[in-house]
Amino acid sequence: MEPLQDVFGRTFVEVMSEKYSPENFPVRRGPGIGVVVVPITCPQGSPMKDRLNLPSILVLTGCGINRAGDQAEIAAFCAHVIELDLSHNKLQDWQEISKIVSNIPNLEFLNLSSNPLGGVTLEPRWAECFSRVRRLVFNNTQVSWDTLLLLTRETTELEELFLCLNEYSSVSASSMACPSLRLLHITDNSLKDWAEVRKFGSMFPSLDTLIMANNNLASIEDSKDILLKLFPKLRSINLHNSGQLRELI
């Protein structure tokens, strides 16, 4: 018989409390390492310890997390956290993800790679909490393009977006651009038609680096002059293993 935590999953709060307890994560010197966090209040019966040695960069990969847990506890312990890696978990509910993100006010980096997000609906009210995030990683999530468009509208400071291994063969153009994005990493998908790539120009007008290796793109159908109009800020485009590789300097 499978352990109950494997059947039902675990909360973000449970895993964080376990990994970063003083017993498992001794405090160490150095910026962002082993920061001792003592909450002002902790709900009665809480699984949290009276203190956690939380770094500003949390790595909770492959822990079976599928829901947030008590939001008050997340807020009490995670105010200083700036990076969060939740890859290879079981998160498939955007509301639960938003409960985590909304209670980490200084979050700049979020990695949700290899969580089953395909076919999962993101409500606009849940997307608002992503507004401060600067780097998002959705590799191997099968997150829908419509969901990405909603997120890019809300993440007004987004600079880097990673979308590898999501089986995209086409993209939908957005009526609202994301002018802050500088890097788009979309390797190992199924983009073959240059017309799909052209859409990135209007969607991300400040794009500096476009990495599209392993997409089997047949050809670049525009001249360098047209490319510079489509992508006025682009300096590097990587099409390795797509039959094309061009550097714009």
Side-chain angles (χ1 to χ4, degrees):
M1 181 180 295
E2 292 183 271
L4 288 178
Q5 67 184 41
D6 292 336
V7 175
F8 298 106
R10 306 184 70 195
T11 70
F12 173 82
V13 169
E14 289 170 344
V15 172
M16 178 176 62
S17 176
E18 178 182 293
K19 178 171 181 178
Y20 294 106
S21 68
E23 294 83 5
N24 295 330
F25 195 83
V27 65
R28 291 174 287 169
R29 296 186 180 276
I33 300 177
V35 177
V36 178
V37 183
V38 181
I40 297 174
T41 60
C42 204
Q44 187 175 4
S46 167
M48 304 292 272
K49 308 293 184 182
D50 58 350
R51 62 172 58 200
L52 294 179
N53 295 334
L54 279 183
S56 59
I57 299 174
L58 300 188
V59 180
L60 300 172
T61 63
C63 298
I65 298 170
N66 69 347
R67 57 197 189 280
D70 192 286
Q71 295 184 71
E73 293 173 337
I74 299 174
F77 282 91
C78 295
H80 67 294
V81 172
I82 59 174
E83 296 191 11
L84 176 60
D85 186 346
L86 291 174
S87 59
H88 298 277
N89 279 290
K90 298 179 180 180
L91 290 161
Q92 53 184 338
D93 185 332
W94 281 108
Q95 185 175 17
E96 292 300 316
I97 296 171
S98 71
K99 289 177 183 177
I100 297 171
V101 174
S102 63
N103 287 289
I104 308 179
N106 294 304
L107 190 66
E108 297 182 358
F109 171 87
L110 176 63
N111 185 357
L112 289 172
S113 294
S114 298
N115 280 275
L117 297 174
V120 183
T121 301
L122 172 63
E123 298 290 340
R125 66 181 184 276
W126 301 336
E128 294 174 358
C129 64
F130 289 83
S131 61
R132 300 172 302 276
V133 180
R134 296 178 181 272
R135 292 176 290 155
L136 280 172
V137 186
F138 291 116
N139 297 336
N140 192 35
T141 58
Q142 279 68 54
V143 63
S144 73
W145 199 260
D146 287 341
T147 294
L148 291 171
L149 293 182
L150 177 56
L151 281 171
T152 56
R153 286 197 294 269
E154 295 295 336
T155 50
T156 55
E157 299 180 16
L158 185 64
E159 297 177 356
E160 299 180 4
L161 181 60
F162 295 79
L163 302 173
C164 307
L165 297 164
N166 284 321
E167 302 179 6
Y168 298 133
S169 59
S170 63
V171 301
S172 302
S174 175
S175 59
M176 184 179 297
C178 178
S180 59
L181 195 75
R182 302 289 187 271
L183 182 149
L184 177 61
H185 202 297
I186 191 168
T187 66
D188 296 281
N189 281 281
S190 301
L191 295 168
K192 299 180 180 179
D193 191 341
W194 179 250
E196 301 301 318
V197 181
R198 289 174 119 256
K199 297 174 185 177
F200 296 145
S202 58
M203 294 168 62
F204 311 120
S206 299
L207 198 64
D208 177 272
T209 303
L210 175 59
I211 304 176
M212 290 189 55
N214 304 321
N215 270 280
N216 296 317
L217 194 67
S219 63
I220 297 177
E221 299 173 2
D222 294 310
S223 66
K224 185 173 181 177
D225 289 341
I226 295 177
L227 280 173
L228 290 174
K229 291 179 181 179
L230 287 171
F231 302 96
K233 300 293 183 64
L234 193 66
R235 292 296 175 267
S236 177
I237 179 170
N238 185 332
L239 302 174
H240 185 63
N241 282 344
S242 295
Q244 299 284 339
L245 177 60
R246 183 176 301 186
E247 296 292 328
L248 303 180
I249 301 176

